Amino acid sequence: MHFGKNGTATRSLHSMRGERVYTQREGLLAVPPGRKEKKIQAYYRMLFSAWGCQHWWPARTRFEVIVGAYLTQNTAWTNVESALTNLRSARLLNLQGIRQVALPELERLIHSAGYFRQKARRLKTFVAFLDQHYGGSLRKLFSQPTAKLRQELLSLNGVGPETADSILLYAGNYPVFVVDAYTRRILDRHGILPEKTGYEEIRQLFERALNPLAAEALTTSSGEPATARRPSAGGAGHPPSRMSASRRTNVAQVYNEMHGLIVGVGKNYCRKSQAKCEECPLRCFLPPG
């Protein structure tokens, strides 16, 4: 990817500051309609310029992405990595392994991820769904239309919008943006949307904002694939992996990068408590006061 320098985003910020209006009902500085998308585009350019490619999702196979999407519910990624390491060491980080392993053993192996009994059952449920509807084939699963597959995933026990969209985007390379708690917090603190805004409204806002960037998305100034670049210091980047470097559409690539960049802001700066606003690359976009 190749974008303009940071100054472009900063000038956009200055032009927007005079257009913010205070909304007493929401208790925040609301960005007028039509400007929200521009702000999100500026955030993308600023963060990518600062941190580069984030190489999400860190996984070797599509099934590993799916397992990780389940395990990361309500826990830190470091806990998920420990559980994935256990499964890999036991040679169970594959469809046949999860299908055949006894439930108590699966619970033991993923204990570090928390809620291990629920998550073990949910992994078994997913494999049973895949076997029943797609003959155990991820290729057939990911050949389905986006809306159909998303609805099927949401119908499974323990799969909410964030988990379903993580599977779609990172395992299936579908152009679906993933909304998480970091996204909500950043939008709220920057006066774009209240933190309790519905998931679909946030997802659609980001997709509208990021779609125009897709034409710029997959090549660097040298013409090399952006996925070949290692992330710079900062953010929540990972070393390139087989899945992070897989081929995807321009739109899916932009969604992929933006979610990884948001995680970097949320983990390192826009924390729930003890936020480090003065050190954040997005500090210049904060509403005054």
Side-chain angles (χ1 to χ4, degrees), residues 66-86:
I66 294 167
V67 173
Y70 275 95
L71 296 183
T72 197
Q73 295 171 350
N74 301 305
T75 194
W77 183 251
T78 52
N79 298 329
V80 176
E81 288 179 318
S82 177
L84 291 173
T85 297
N86 290 342

Side-chain angles (χ1 to χ4, degrees), residues 181-244:
Y182 296 134
T183 313
R184 294 177 178 278
R185 189 182 308 150
I186 292 167
L187 292 178
D188 184 72
R189 289 177 175 174
H190 284 249
I192 296 177
L193 285 175
E195 193 163 1
K196 293 186 178 180
T197 300
Y199 184 99
E200 290 303 309
E201 182 177 348
I202 299 174
R203 181 175 70 86
Q204 291 169 14
L205 169 63
F206 271 84
E207 291 182 358
R208 288 196 307 271
L210 297 175
N211 284 351
L213 301 180
E216 308 173 44
L218 285 181
T219 58
T220 65
S221 57
S222 65
E224 296 175 350
T227 48
R229 298 172 57 190
R230 287 185 174 271
S232 59
H238 300 273
S241 68
R242 179 179 174 186
M243 287 306 301
S244 74

Side-chain angles (χ1 to χ4, degrees), residues 57-240:
W57 190 290
R60 302 176 187 178
T61 67
R62 291 186 294 184
F63 187 66
E64 183 177 337
V65 174
I66 294 167
V67 173
Y70 275 95
L71 296 183
T72 197
Q73 295 171 350
N74 301 305
T75 194
W77 183 251
T78 52
N79 298 329
V80 176
E81 288 179 318
S82 177
L84 291 173
T85 297
N86 290 342
L87 290 171
R88 188 178 292 110
S89 297
R91 298 187 177 182
L92 296 175
L93 193 50
N94 53 72
L95 275 166
Q96 184 172 345
I98 299 301
R99 183 185 295 119
Q100 295 183 349
V101 65
L103 189 61
E105 177 64 5
L106 180 56
E107 292 172 354
R108 184 186 69 81
L109 291 168
I110 67 170
H111 189 279
S112 64
Y115 299 96
F116 55 92
R117 291 189 177 88
Q118 292 179 16
K119 292 177 181 180
R121 290 195 298 272
R122 290 170 182 177
L123 288 172
K124 288 281 192 180
T125 296
F126 174 82
V127 173
F129 157 78
L130 188 68
D131 287 344
Q132 180 178 354
H133 294 278
Y134 296 101
S137 170
L138 289 176
R139 181 185 59 79
K140 292 180 181 178
L141 177 80
F142 290 128
S143 68
Q144 302 305 305
T146 306
K148 175 179 180 291
L149 181 53
R150 189 171 192 262
Q151 192 56 47
E152 288 180 351
L153 292 173
L154 289 171
S155 71
L156 298 176
N157 179 47
V159 177
E162 183 180 345
T163 300
D165 292 344
S166 294
I167 292 171
L168 288 168
L169 177 62
Y170 290 112
N173 291 330
Y174 286 82
V176 180
F177 186 75
V178 178
V179 177
D180 59 14
Y182 296 134
T183 313
R184 294 177 178 278
R185 189 182 308 150
I186 292 167
L187 292 178
D188 184 72
R189 289 177 175 174
H190 284 249
I192 296 177
L193 285 175
E195 193 163 1
K196 293 186 178 180
T197 300
Y199 184 99
E200 290 303 309
E201 182 177 348
I202 299 174
R203 181 175 70 86
Q204 291 169 14
L205 169 63
F206 271 84
E207 291 182 358
R208 288 196 307 271
L210 297 175
N211 284 351
L213 301 180
E216 308 173 44
L218 285 181
T219 58
T220 65
S221 57
S222 65
E224 296 175 350
T227 48
R229 298 172 57 190
R230 287 185 174 271
S232 59
H238 300 273

